[in-house]
Amino acid sequence: MTDGINRRKLLKGAAAAGAASLIVKPAIAQAQWPSRPLTMICPWGAGGGTDATARIVASLLEKDLGQPCNVVNRTGGSGVVGHSAIATAAPDGYNIGMLTVEISMMHHQGLTDLTPASYTALALMNEDPPGVQVSASSPHKDIKALAEAIKAAPPGKLKASGTGQGGIWHLALVGWLVAMGLKPDHVAWVPSNGAAPGMQDLAAGGIDIVTCSVPEARAMIDAGKAKSLAIMATERNPQFKDVPTLNETLGVNYSVGAWRGIGAPKGLPADIQGKLAAALKKAFDSKEYKDFMNARGFGMKFADPAGFASFMAEGDKAMASAMKAAGLAKA
């Protein structure tokens, strides 16, 4: 009988311990995020504007969240590789990435099924217009001289680069050519994994023009290897006040812009989305971020998760029309 009583006590004790563990474990799990390093995927190459923006944001997140935030460059496929890596990662708060304007363009070309709706939007962080860059040794001293040379050249003789086929900087070139009354392919496009390799090819003499943003071209410009002749915007960039707009120099009223924001895979828990969104807003408002962006001439534009999702959806519709008009959309 004593054995029976002891057995019942042991069973009750075990049951109580099991119940206690069931109560404690979820509470511990919920309190742990972030308990390990985060990964920020960048769809474009090291040294470009997207990479630079990713790295300053990652450093500020690391400072705020108390965990490393490692930037990983996943390039290729005109941005498809990196954007796919973000979309297919585990939605656990440890995998985030830089979404760029190309996510509102690639599916119109038939390159991917991914759209802005394939992600959990976190924050819009930046927006920039393209510039027209040539090498320092180029005979074209201003945008008028370059425009005249483009019109006089046989189709395909001049070459340009700055991103993948059908990317935002390619669309910028096509829009400019069409606005001047030329065919979309009058200047041949040479695909690259971002602005940095495009500018390197320009400095090496492999191409004639790069239509990336001026901040992305700044390193080569400061090194005396390239010069910016104009920007495709409604007004000059205060950080590059000597660079005129197309409209004031050529009478071509054409402007377009690239944006960068932070997103995560679909299915990210709401509480983690809220924490990441708050950390990103704090990063955007910080002196470190503003000083970094201003020093490089990068434009600053912020939107919260709902605002960023709406911004991407509206941009997707606009890009569908623009790419169709430029002949870059898949029929």
Side-chain angles (χ1 to χ4, degrees), residues 21-317:
S21 67
L22 289 174
I23 293 171
V24 172
K25 284 182 180 178
I28 291 174
Q30 289 175 3
Q32 285 180 343
W33 188 91
S35 61
R36 55 186 174 86
L38 282 69
T39 295
M40 179 180 289
I41 297 169
C42 177
W44 301 101
T50 303
D51 177 69
T53 304
R55 292 183 187 279
I56 182 60
V57 172
S59 69
L60 294 170
L61 286 179
E62 182 172 318
K63 181 179 177 181
D64 187 40
L65 298 176
Q67 289 289 343
C69 185
N70 303 309
V71 176
V72 176
N73 298 90
R74 296 289 302 276
T75 64
S78 297
V80 172
V81 172
H83 282 93
S84 297
I86 300 168
T88 57
D92 54 10
Y94 294 100
N95 299 283
I96 59 177
M98 291 292 297
L99 303 181
T100 65
V101 66
E102 281 79 12
I103 195 57
S104 63
M105 303 172 69
M106 298 183 295
H107 66 104
H108 295 303
Q109 299 171 268
L111 298 177
T112 179
D113 292 330
L114 295 171
T115 72
S118 303
Y119 304 88
T120 297
L122 294 173
L124 174 65
M125 303 293 287
N126 157 255
E127 189 174 32
D128 283 311
V132 180
Q133 281 73 230
V134 296
S135 70
S137 61
S138 171
H140 313 305
K141 304 304 180 184
D142 55 37
I143 195 66
K144 287 183 179 180
L146 177 61
E148 289 171 2
I150 290 173
K151 292 176 182 178
K157 180 180 180 180
L158 297 178
K159 299 177 182 179
S161 188
T163 189
Q165 182 76 20
I168 186 61
W169 303 143
H170 185 193
L171 179 62
L173 173 70
V174 168
W176 177 35
L177 293 176
V178 171
M180 290 196 297
L182 300 172
K183 291 185 177 181
D185 60 351
H186 186 82
V187 173
W189 187 258
V190 179
S192 67
N193 285 322
M199 289 301 298
Q200 290 168 2
D201 286 345
L202 181 72
I207 55 175
D208 305 290
I209 306 164
V210 168
T211 49
C212 68
S213 69
V214 183
E216 289 177 300
R218 188 170 195 167
M220 286 294 183
I221 294 173
D222 290 348
K225 297 181 178 180
K227 53 189 176 184
S228 186
L229 303 182
I231 59 170
M232 302 179 195
T234 56
E235 58 186 21
R236 297 191 184 198
N237 184 333
Q239 301 297 323
F240 304 100
K241 60 184 180 181
D242 293 331
V243 181
T245 68
L246 288 180
N247 194 29
E248 65 181 290
T249 52
L250 298 178
V252 175
N253 190 17
Y254 176 74
S255 62
V256 68
W259 53 259
R260 304 177 182 95
I262 308 298
K266 291 288 284 186
L268 183 70
D271 60 332
I272 297 179
Q273 180 187 18
K275 291 177 181 178
L276 278 168
L280 288 166
K281 180 62 166 69
K282 185 176 179 180
F284 183 87
D285 290 338
S286 69
K287 184 178 185 298
E288 294 96 324
Y289 185 75
K290 295 186 185 304
D291 287 348
F292 180 91
M293 300 298 274
N294 282 329
R296 287 155 182 78
F298 291 143
M300 288 177 282
K301 185 171 183 177
F302 182 82
D304 63 11
F308 184 29
S310 177
F311 175 88
M312 288 194 290
E314 291 173 5
D316 189 70
K317 293 178 182 178

